[in-house]
């Protein structure tokens, strides 16, 4: 939830650009991998930045969100290039009355035909979270960070307790940033209803979830960059874990007692240790 004065369209596009650039810097969005969506629950006038308009069917009906806006990356676009020309890479959806359709506003410079094919998962997560918390703002990011994704190929990390107790032991701030740990979803077809449903469920308990053998999805109702930071924190943890595996597991990591002491000192309610 964010309070007025609300960010302008250009501010949101700039933050999407900065998040996209950072995800690219940490190798979490090779080629055109990854996508970002931002929900803004206050009235916006997109036509000055996005003069073209067409009507599209939404992947699911979201009647309560009529009049709200989403900024969504285009299919095949590169996250690292959003910052150079945001309107070429992002479209703005305004949900119509009834919530079954939306007006898609785009620029004359747009470099995509359709919005990201993962938009069904993005919209389902937004809708679920908005209904649960009443937030007026939310960012959802899908990225493909290599260390997290690699670990998701190793069977023992499929167990969420094992995964989190191993990944969240390398730096004090990891438990502070991810107090509910990282969710894990076994491999599902990209863009499928099964992946969408599992993601909605897991993102109720976690702020970031691994899509096994594929990547991650994270959310934040505070800022665009908070959602990309979560990808970075989880990926850094996975990188430490990978380092430890490659050096014959010489590292001890923070002990559960040390982590619990950190949580007590910083008032963190965690569910991992
Ligand atoms: Zn992907």
């Amino acid at each position: 939830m964010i309070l007025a004065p609300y960010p302008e369209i250009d501010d949101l596009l700039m933050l999407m650009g900065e998040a996209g650039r950072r995800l690219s810097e940490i190798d979490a969005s090779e080629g055109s991998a990854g996508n970002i969506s931002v929900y803004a629950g206050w009235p916006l006038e997109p036509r000055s930045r996005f003069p073209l308009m067409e009507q599209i069917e939404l992947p699911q009906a979201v009647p309560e969100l009529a009049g709200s806006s989403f900024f969504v990356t285009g299919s095949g676009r590169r996250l690292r290039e959003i910052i150079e020309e945001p309107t070429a890479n992002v479209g703005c959806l305004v949900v119509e009355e009834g919530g079954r359709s939306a007006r898609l506003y785009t620029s004359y410079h747009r470099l995509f035909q359709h919005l990201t094919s993962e938009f069904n998962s993005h919209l389902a997560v937004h809708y679920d979270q908005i209904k649960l918390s009443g937030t007026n703002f939310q960012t959802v990011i899908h990225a493909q960070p290599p260390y997290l994704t690699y670990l998701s190929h190793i069977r023992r990390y499929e167990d969420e307790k094992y995964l989190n107790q191993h990944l969240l032991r390398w730096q004090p701030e990891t438990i502070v940033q991810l107090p509910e740990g990282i969710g894990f979803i076994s491999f599902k077809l990209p863009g499928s209803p099964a992946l969408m449903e599992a993601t909605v469920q897991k993102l109720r308990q976690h702020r970031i979830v691994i899509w096994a053998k594929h990547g991650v999805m994270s959310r934040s109702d505070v800022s665009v960059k908070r959602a990309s930071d979560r990808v970075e924190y989880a990926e850094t943890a996975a990188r430490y874990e990978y380092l430890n595996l490659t050096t014959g597991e010489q590292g001890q990591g923070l002990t559960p007692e040390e982590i619990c002491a950190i949580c007590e000192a910083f008032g963190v309610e965690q569910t991992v240790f």
Side-chain angles (χ1 to χ4, degrees):
M1 192 82 165
I2 57 176
L3 303 172
Y6 300 121
E8 303 283 344
I9 289 177
D10 284 346
D11 300 331
L12 294 173
L13 293 174
M14 176 61 75
L15 289 165
M16 290 175 78
E18 289 177 1
R21 182 176 59 190
R22 185 64 193 145
L23 290 165
S24 178
E25 284 170 354
I26 66 165
D27 295 329
S29 90
E30 73 279 12
S32 62
N35 30 71
I36 303 176
S37 65
V38 175
Y39 164 72
W42 55 87
L44 283 168
E45 180 39 74
R47 257 171 294 198
S48 62
R49 313 292 279 118
F50 300 96
L52 299 176
M53 196 272 278
E54 66 197 280
Q55 195 183 46
I56 66 164
E57 286 292 305
L58 289 172
Q60 71 176 95
V62 291
E64 297 89 341
L65 306 190
S68 307
S69 305
F70 290 91
F71 296 87
V72 186
T73 50
S75 178
R77 299 318 308 152
R78 301 173 186 92
L79 297 190
R80 63 187 170 278
E81 292 179 355
I82 297 171
I83 198 158
E84 291 162 18
E85 196 176 8
T87 55
N89 298 292
V90 173
C92 175
L93 279 177
V94 179
V95 180
E96 298 195 300
E97 213 52 49
R100 292 179 192 283
S101 59
R103 295 187 298 281
L104 171 60
Y105 293 92
T106 53
S107 156
Y108 291 114
H109 305 293
R110 98 187 214 192
L111 295 169
F112 56 91
Q113 284 284 318
H114 307 285
L115 298 175
T116 168
S117 59
E118 302 286 4
F119 184 60
N120 67 334
S121 286
H122 284 253
L123 181 64
V125 169
H126 282 294
Y127 189 43
D128 189 62
Q129 288 292 320
I130 294 161
K131 281 196 297 179
L132 286 172
S133 72
T135 186
N136 63 355
F137 176 83
Q138 185 164 241
T139 302
V140 171
I141 291 178
H142 164 54
Q144 302 187 176
Y147 292 94
L148 279 167
T149 307
Y150 174 67
L151 292 181
S152 78
H153 287 266
I154 301 174
R155 289 304 292 263
R156 62 184 184 275
Y157 292 97
E158 291 174 10
D159 179 85
E160 267 179 14
K161 199 161 189 74
Y162 184 93
L163 169 82
N164 283 293
Q165 291 190 345
H166 282 77
L167 266 62
L168 273 59
R169 63 182 163 149
W170 298 113
Q171 287 187 324
E173 64 260 60
T174 319
I175 190 72
V176 179
Q177 298 296 335
L178 304 170
E180 308 91 1
I182 303 162
F184 187 94
I185 297 174
S186 59
F187 179 77
K188 303 207 165 19
L189 203 62
S192 65
L195 180 59
M196 178 192 81
E197 282 160 27
T199 305
V200 166
Q201 290 299 323
K202 280 288 172 191
L203 282 178
R204 285 183 182 170
Q205 306 140 38
H206 303 277
R207 304 176 203 201
I208 180 166
V209 59
I210 292 176
W211 290 353
K213 307 178 187 179
H214 181 168
V216 298
M217 185 167 260
S218 73
R219 65 170 171 84
S220 169
D221 60 4
V222 176
S223 80
V224 182
K225 291 219 248 176
R226 200 69 74 93
S228 70
D229 284 349
R230 286 194 174 129
V231 177
E232 195 171 352
Y233 283 120
E235 174 67 348
T236 300
R239 194 168 177 180
Y240 274 103
E241 182 68 10
Y242 168 86
L243 269 177
N244 196 45
L245 293 177
T246 56
T247 55
E249 306 203 53
Q250 296 190 57
Q252 183 192 13
L254 293 156
T255 64
E257 293 72 33
E258 287 167 336
I259 291 173
C260 289
I262 292 164
C263 292
E264 206 170 302
F266 290 91
V268 175
E269 284 189 35
Q270 57 88 23
T271 54
V272 176
F273 292 91

